[in-house]
Amino acid sequence: MEATSTTGPREHAPAGTVIIGGGQAGLQVADSLRAGGYTAPVTVVADEAGAPYQRPPLSKDYLVPGQDAAPLPLRGPTFLAEHDITLRAGTPATAIDRAGRTVALADGTTVPYEHLVLATGARNRTLSCPGAELPGIQGLKTLHDAEALHRALPGAWNVVVIGAGFIGLEFAAAARAHGAHVTVLEFAPGRWAGR
Ligand SMILES: Cc1cc2nc3c(=O)[nH]c(=O)nc-3n(C[C@H](O)[C@H](O)[C@H](O)COP(=O)(O)OP(=O)(O)OC[C@H]3O[C@@H](n4cnc5c(N)ncnc54)[C@H](O)[C@@H]3O)c2cc1C
């Protein structure tokens, strides 16, 4: 007896895994799934446009005078195609329908999933003090932020860095390399001891 099918091959295709977040964690999950032999579709949903990039150089070589200010990709140019990973870049996830197992994206499309991974990282703490939104005040998390600082640093003569963590101090060093006078503000006493 011949089997009859009322659904096409698409309906039988597994929904696979959707990963929200195209940073280090999101890309690594996709990479590890394929390395472990996972064959169902893998989709990475990223709010930032373009190829996923490494953040660490953004506070280091990217800002230092005379260095090549190109972002370093997280993977090589053929990685996604070779591993059959779909990247939906520049399309933030806007809603998750857990009952229907779909993720809605900002461009109006939805992506079905069997497994959903949230790899959305962390945000910089914003300042709550008056004036925090004034022009010339710039955070450092994304390539977009680093591009703004890269443009501003050559003309900067007086730079104030709020936060003496690794990124703040790396940025302070880059600003000094541009010849700027730099003041670092930190509320924790002795925070930079040993750095
Ligand atoms: C300037 C800088 C320098 C650093 N230097 C170092 C270093 O020297 N050594 C070190 O170990 N670590 C360093 N780090 C930290 C390191 O980069 C982070 O730990 C790492 O990037 C975290 O990766 P992640 O994937 O968890 O998060 P992220 O890199 O934050 O990636 C998460 C992504 O998800 C996206 N996202 C969030 N919501 C949505 C949504 N709704 N839809 C789609 N996408 C979404 C975010 O925009 C982001 O692109 C540095 C970080 C910065 C910013």
Side-chain angles (χ1 to χ4, degrees), residues 136-162:
I137 297 174
Q138 175 67 55
L140 177 51
K141 166 77 197 279
T142 65
L143 177 59
H144 184 73
D145 298 334
E147 284 168 346
L149 292 166
H150 184 262
R151 282 192 299 272
L153 271 177
W157 55 273
N158 194 17
V159 172
V160 176
V161 180
I162 302 179

Side-chain angles (χ1 to χ4, degrees), residues 20-21 23-25 45-48 55-56 59-60 92-93 119-121 141 167:
I20 304 180
Q24 174 78 46
V45 174
D47 56 0
E48 294 182 64
R55 296 196 196 282
S59 53
K60 305 175 185 67
T120 48
K141 166 77 197 279
I167 294 170

Side-chain angles (χ1 to χ4, degrees), residues 7-45:
T7 56
R10 278 198 162 275
E11 281 85 351
H12 289 297
T17 297
V18 172
I19 301 161
I20 304 180
Q24 174 78 46
L27 260 279
Q28 187 57 55
V29 170
D31 196 345
S32 297
L33 283 172
R34 289 296 186 233
Y38 185 79
T39 55
V42 174
T43 302
V44 177
V45 174

